[in-house]
Each structure stands twice: as C-alpha cells, then as structure tokens.
Amino acid sequence: MWVLDKLQAIGKSSLGIFERFGRATIFLFHVLSGIGSLITRPQLLVCQLFFVGVLSLLIILISGLFVGMVLALQGYYILSHFGAEQTLGVMVAASLVRELGPVVSALLFSGRAGSALTAEIGLMRATEQLSGIEMMAVNPIHRIIAPRFWAGVISMPLLASLFSSLGVLGGYFVGVLLLGVDDGAFWSQMQSKLDFYDDVLNGVIKSIIFGFAVTWIAIFEGYDAIPTSEGVSRATTRTVVYSAFAILGLDFVLTALMFGN
Amino acid sequence: MTGESTDDIVVKIRNLTFSRGNRKIFDGVDIDIQRGKVTAIMGPSGTGKTTLLKIIGGQLKPEMGEILVDGHNVHKIKQKDLYELRKRMGMLFQSGALLTDLNVFDNVAFPLREHTPLSESMIRSLVLLKLEAVGLRAARDLMPSELSGGMARRVAMARAITLDPMMIMYDEPFTGQDPISMGVLVQLIRKLSDALGLTSIVVSHDVAETCEIADYLYIIADGKVIQHGSPDYLYKEGNPWVEQFLRGLPDGPVRFHFPGVGYEEDLFAGALDPTDIDK
Ligand SMILES: Nc1ncnc2c1ncn2[C@@H]1O[C@H](COP(=O)(O)OP(=O)(O)OP(=O)(O)O)[C@@H](O)[C@H]1O
Ligand SMILES: [Mg+2]
C-alpha cells in the first residue's frame, strides 16, 4: 500500500504548492491595486528606491566591472586563436547585454535587496507592525508593500544596465589597455554588430521580468512568513533560492523566445 | 442588566464562535459595549481577550456570529468601509506594535499624516499634546528600540488616541507600568471617557485599577462569558468564578493551568520504569 501513500503525499504537496501560488497571485493583485496611493504620494516610492536600488549599487557596479574584466581575459584567449581579437568588444558587450547583465545582476539583487525585503516585511509582521498599521485604518499592502514592490521592479533594469555598462568598461580596460586590442576596433565593432532592438532592448525586457519575479517572491515570502525568528529566517532563505530558480528558468524561456529562431 | 436602547451600544457581539485549530476559543459569546462607558474585559491568561479585540477590529474572522460596531457588521461590510470604520476605532496592542523605523514623534504623528491634511505645525502641536498626556513629551526623539516596555506602551497609547476615535480598545495598558504612571494612565482612560465621551474597552489583569475605572465588567473564561455587570454588583453577587478571579485566589473553579493531561500523569509518563534501574 505504500505506493498509494506515496502518491497521496505527492498529491498533497503539489496541492500545497498550487495553493501557495494562488495565494501569491491574489497577493500580487492586492499589491498592484495599490498603485493609486503611489501616484498621490511619490515620496514613499522614492524612499524605497533609495533602500532597494541605490543601496544595491555598490555590489552591482563592482561585480559588473569584474565580470567584464574576466570576460575580456577569457574572450581574448579564445579569439586570438582565430586572429579575431578585434571583435573582443562585440563579444564582451553581447554577452553582458544579452545574458550576464540581466541574469547576474538579478541574482545579486535577490541576495542583496530581495532577502532584505523579506526579512523586513517578515519582522514587521512578527512584531505586529502590519496589524498595527491596519488598525490605524491604513492598508499595509498599499502603504508598506506596494512601494517596495515598485521600487524593485524599477530598480532592476537600471541596475542591470549599470552592470552591463561597467562590464563593458572593465572589458575595455583589460582588452584595450592591458592586452593591446585596438581601441577603435573595440568600439566600432561593438557599435556595428550589436543591434539596439535585438540585443539591448531584449536584455532590458529580461531584466524587467526578472525584477518583477524577484521582488514578487521577496515581498510574498516576507508577508507569508511564519511570524517567528525561525519562520523569518526560512522565508529569507526561500527568497534567495526561489529567486535563483525563477531567474534561471525564466532566462531559458525568454532566451528561447527572443533569440530562438 | 442591559436595559439600554440599542443606540447606546457601540459594539454588539452576538453568538460569537471562534476556534484556533481544534480548540474553541469562543463558544457562543454575547457582549454589549455601552457608548461612552469604560468596559473592562477580564479573564485568565490565554482565554482569548486579545483575540476578541482583533475580532472586533476586523482582523480575525469568526466562524459564526455577528459583530456590529456602531451598527456596521464588521465582517460583512466592504473593505473600504471597514477602513473608514477603523479610523474611528483606536487600538493599543499588547505588544505596542510601534513602527520600529520611525521615532516616537513620527509614530504618534503617523495616523495624522495618513488621514488628515493638517500642516506640520498643527501635527506638531497635536502630537506634543498627546505625548504630554502620557508623560513622554521629552522622549519624542527616541527610537522605539530605545524605549522601555512601559514607555513603548505609553507611546502606543498616545498613538491610539491621536485621531480622537469614538472608541479605543486597550490591550493590557497597565502592564509594566510603575505605580505612578499606572495611576496616570488609569485616570487618563477615565478622563477620555468622561470628557470626550469616548467608549473604552480595557483588557487588563490589574483587578483593583480596572475595577476602579470600569463602569461595566465582563469576565470570560473557557470560551464563555462567565459573568457581567458593574464592578460593585459582581463583588456583591458572590459567583465562585468571579470571586476567585477578582480576589486572586489560587483555588477555585478557574483553572490556572493550560488544559491538558494531569500533572502526575505527565510526570510519571517520562519516569524510568522501576525495573530498568537494576540494569
Ligand atoms: N496565532 C495563533 N495561532 C494559534 N493559536 C493562537 C494564536 N494566537 C493565539 N492563539 C491561542 O489563542 C488563545 C487566546 O489567545 P489570546 O492572545 O487571545 O489570549 P489572551 O486572553 O489575550 O491572553 P493574555 O492575557 O495572556 O494576553 C491562546 O490560548 C493561544 O494559545
Ligand atoms: Mg492578550
């Protein structure tokens, strides 16, 4: 009979997953319906843009720089086998703008800002701050959660763009200044081979979708956390793990859709 | 005992039933809270007094029964109307529930900034007035983490009265207060009710202080209202439950322990089997 038991257990846990996903979706609608209060009070959003976006700048910029430098080193090594060092600029920029910029910055963002959002919201719930706000006749989802959500969605593409820009500069530094690739070729090849719509815009669309997914996961995990220290710590871990899955899974799907044919 | 007309009843609870897991917290509870009076709710720890306040505030949904606050069924009205209603209900949380990223002043100013178009100077005067009433005007720049438990509760109390609501629910306002601040708070609650006609619901374990200011008492235990009436009436009536509770006697019909198996049974369940000792 253990087969039946196992089947039952699998059914139960998948029902649990669907139920949670359903709750997360309803929660998202409540968050989205709070947009009105942000239009009338933009300072709430600005304040969160600082916490979510500006404070993530350092890690994003430094990582972008190093990823670009490493790309140039690796790329130069391979391209020089074919005598194609002059295309180093294209290679660095295309990898960053299409893939590494959106994906790596989203992964970093989930670790830096997503986990912080989950912990903050989870603790506000555990200490009854959200209930307190609710009893003061202020909707906590509109007042507390919605500004954080939009701050994440807005920050992510900007951070990803900065990541890619710094990466290109890092690539320039290593490729042109250290390894001696021709300065003019580095930039002109990049300019002629990269397409604004195919490469840059698709990368930006990716990062907007990642930002949406990561921030949604972070705020929902915080809001849905069991209101204890252990519950909040588990929720924070889940934010980082689920975000990574979501980013990589979505990236595969989006890449297939955008560049597949 | 409740011969008033319905207009004088701000909160009307009928046949309230509520469970946590398998445990029934409330089982058919009826409560009337009179307008402009101080009503105290007492009962052993863990009977569901905090739960009751959250149900009245619309944060928890009962399984059965209806709760009318000022004529509105809290769990049936639209969310927008519930928020409108909450503007007229203040609540002091047992934990204080201060916003930890705002200082004392901004915490008390929070409801004003959210709900009124008042200028900063007006807000300042109002906030200082409320902080003065709880004796914490000079502490306005402290962060919640820099407050003691009793101070945090007094800030929360100032915040609960900033919007001048029609009704305030106090969840254990006197816990952790020294005798002086306790006396001030007791008088503050009484004065708010006398001067402004505010309806107060006070949940408290401090029998003497609560009986001093309460116009009416509800004693709940085991999911039911055990007895209700004016403090004098309850003292005179001599119900053994009430007697035990009001006088703080350890023995009587009210159980001190959370329901479960007997102490002896529990102790011996974990003891060594005597035959094991030889081995
Ligand atoms: N989130 C929860 N999940 C499950 N059970 C809960 C929860 N909160 C409270 N309870 C249970 O509900 C009962 C009533 O809790 P409540 O906090 O209302 O008690 P109380 O009367 O306010 O007690 P006290 O005087 O100690 O504050 C308790 O026995 C508790 O075990
Ligand atoms: Mg309580």
Side-chain angles (χ1 to χ4, degrees):
Chain A
M1 281 333 268
W2 72 270
V3 181
L4 275 186
D5 286 348
K6 282 276 176 283
L7 273 178
Q8 195 185 15
I10 291 172
K12 209 170 172 180
S13 62
S14 19
L15 276 183
I17 292 171
F18 281 120
E19 195 250 14
R20 199 144 189 271
F21 191 72
R23 258 186 303 140
T25 309
I26 293 170
F27 175 73
L28 180 65
F29 279 112
H30 285 300
V31 172
L32 294 178
S33 73
I35 187 121
S37 58
L38 285 185
I39 293 168
T40 48
R41 293 175 65 188
Q43 70 272 27
L44 290 178
L45 180 61
V46 172
C47 179
Q48 289 309 317
L49 277 173
F50 176 78
F51 285 113
V52 172
V54 176
L55 294 184
S56 306
L57 266 180
L58 189 69
I59 185 172
I60 293 283
L61 294 182
I62 292 181
S63 312
L65 191 69
F66 276 94
V67 167
M69 296 198 308
V70 169
L71 266 181
L73 278 178
Q74 297 276 19
Y76 183 84
Y77 173 74
I78 294 181
L79 291 175
S80 63
H81 281 306
F82 310 103
E85 304 93 282
Q86 307 307 322
T87 56
L88 184 67
V90 186
M91 197 224 97
V92 169
S95 339
L96 280 168
V97 169
R98 286 172 157 219
E99 280 300 325
L100 291 172
V103 171
V104 177
S105 59
L107 290 172
L108 291 170
F109 180 77
S110 76
R112 167 64 184 78
S115 58
L117 281 178
T118 304
E120 186 188 19
I121 296 172
L123 276 175
M124 286 184 97
R125 201 183 164 87
T127 53
E128 291 197 309
Q129 293 184 54
L130 295 184
S131 302
I133 290 177
E134 204 176 350
M135 280 311 295
M136 286 188 278
V138 176
N139 188 331
I141 294 187
H142 294 178
R143 175 67 173 70
I144 301 291
I145 314 267
R148 286 166 171 76
F149 175 74
W150 288 110
V153 174
I154 294 169
S155 303
M156 188 67 259
L158 298 175
L159 290 170
S161 311
L162 285 169
F163 182 97
S164 300
S165 315
L166 262 275
V168 169
L169 286 182
Y172 173 80
F173 178 73
V174 168
V176 175
L177 302 183
L178 292 185
L179 299 174
V181 174
D182 181 61
D183 192 356
F186 185 88
W187 294 115
S188 65
Q189 291 268 358
M190 192 191 298
Q191 205 173 6
S192 62
K193 295 274 160 44
L194 281 194
D195 185 73
F196 179 73
Y197 289 102
D198 276 352
D199 299 308
V200 179
L201 203 62
N202 275 338
V204 172
I205 291 173
K206 272 188 181 178
S207 64
I208 292 175
I209 292 176
F210 295 161
F212 193 93
V214 170
T215 324
W216 179 19
I217 291 172
I219 56 173
F220 177 70
E221 287 295 345
Y223 195 76
D224 200 49
I226 299 165
T228 60
S229 348
E230 199 201 351
V232 173
S233 107
R234 277 168 185 247
T236 313
T237 311
R238 274 202 305 268
T239 293
V240 177
V241 174
Y242 291 173
S243 294
F245 287 153
I247 292 164
L248 298 172
L250 281 171
D251 186 48
F252 179 75
V253 174
L254 290 172
T255 308
L257 287 177
M258 290 169 172
F259 308 109
N261 36 22
Chain B
M1 264 176 281
T2 51
E4 315 271 340
S5 81
T6 41
D7 270 348
D8 289 334
I9 294 171
V10 182
V11 181
K12 186 172 185 173
I13 299 177
R14 287 291 172 272
N15 190 28
L16 168 65
T17 305
F18 183 84
S19 308
R20 287 280 200 192
N22 293 328
R23 229 155 54 78
K24 268 221 158 81
I25 306 288
F26 295 114
D27 190 4
V29 165
D30 295 341
I31 290 178
D32 288 322
I33 308 284
Q34 313 263 335
R35 191 181 297 276
K37 298 274 168 62
V38 178
T39 304
I41 295 178
M42 296 184 147
S45 180
T47 31
K49 303 179 296 297
T50 301
T51 309
L52 178 68
L53 296 189
K54 287 193 172 163
I55 291 174
I56 295 175
Q59 296 199 305
L60 295 174
K61 213 174 151 65
E63 276 137 49
M64 264 200 298
E66 56 174 20
I67 287 91
L68 299 176
V69 176
D70 210 22
H72 304 281
N73 187 330
V74 174
H75 301 94
K76 291 264 162 64
I77 56 178
K78 288 204 210 83
Q79 201 191 25
K80 197 163 148 280
D81 299 331
L82 178 60
Y83 275 102
E84 280 305 313
L85 191 59
R86 281 180 183 154
K87 284 186 196 169
R88 299 191 285 141
M89 295 192 229
M91 175 146 169
L92 171 68
F93 279 75
Q94 199 166 1
S95 61
L98 295 177
L99 299 171
T100 46
D101 55 345
L102 301 179
N103 66 16
V104 167
F105 183 93
D106 291 332
N107 258 292
V108 180
F110 184 88
L112 291 170
R113 292 194 174 132
E114 291 293 323
H115 295 305
T116 66
L118 295 177
S119 67
E120 270 307 300
S121 66
M122 281 284 269
I123 288 182
R124 192 183 131 87
S125 327
L126 282 172
V127 169
L128 293 187
L129 186 74
K130 306 296 178 188
L131 281 175
E132 175 73 22
V134 296
L136 288 175
R137 192 169 40 81
R140 60 176 175 269
D141 292 326
L142 296 182
M143 295 304 286
S145 57
E146 297 166 322
L147 300 175
S148 72
M151 286 162 84
R153 208 174 289 260
R154 280 190 279 157
V155 175
M157 182 141 162
R159 189 176 70 174
I161 58 178
T162 34
L163 282 181
D164 292 323
M166 65 164 185
M167 167 178 110
I168 302 193
M169 299 184 269
Y170 304 92
D171 199 350
E172 313 211 357
F174 310 131
T175 315
Q177 303 295 345
D178 61 79
I180 302 170
S181 10
M182 178 121 121
V184 172
L185 293 188
V186 168
Q187 288 318 313
L188 180 64
I189 293 177
R190 187 67 249 180
K191 262 192 224 146
L192 285 170
S193 156
D194 290 344
L196 303 174
L198 214 80
T199 308
S200 311
I201 305 177
V202 182
V203 164
S204 175
H205 294 301
D206 298 280
V207 177
E209 284 75 14
T210 311
C211 288
E212 186 187 323
I213 55 165
D215 299 305
Y216 209 80
L217 266 175
Y218 275 90
I219 297 187
I220 53 179
D222 287 343
K224 293 214 156 46
V225 173
I226 298 295
Q227 189 52 284
H228 56 120
S230 69
D232 286 343
Y233 172 82
L234 290 189
Y235 267 113
K236 280 197 208 103
E237 187 226 25
N239 179 321
W241 283 83
V242 179
E243 189 85 350
Q244 187 202 349
F245 198 78
L246 293 183
R247 300 195 197 285
L249 308 173
D251 284 321
V254 182
R255 279 183 313 228
F256 163 64
H257 293 283
F258 195 82
V261 295
Y263 185 39
E264 282 188 13
E265 199 182 320
D266 226 6
L267 269 186
F268 287 114
L272 289 172
D273 189 340
T275 53
D276 284 346
I277 295 174
D278 300 336
K279 292 173 194 164

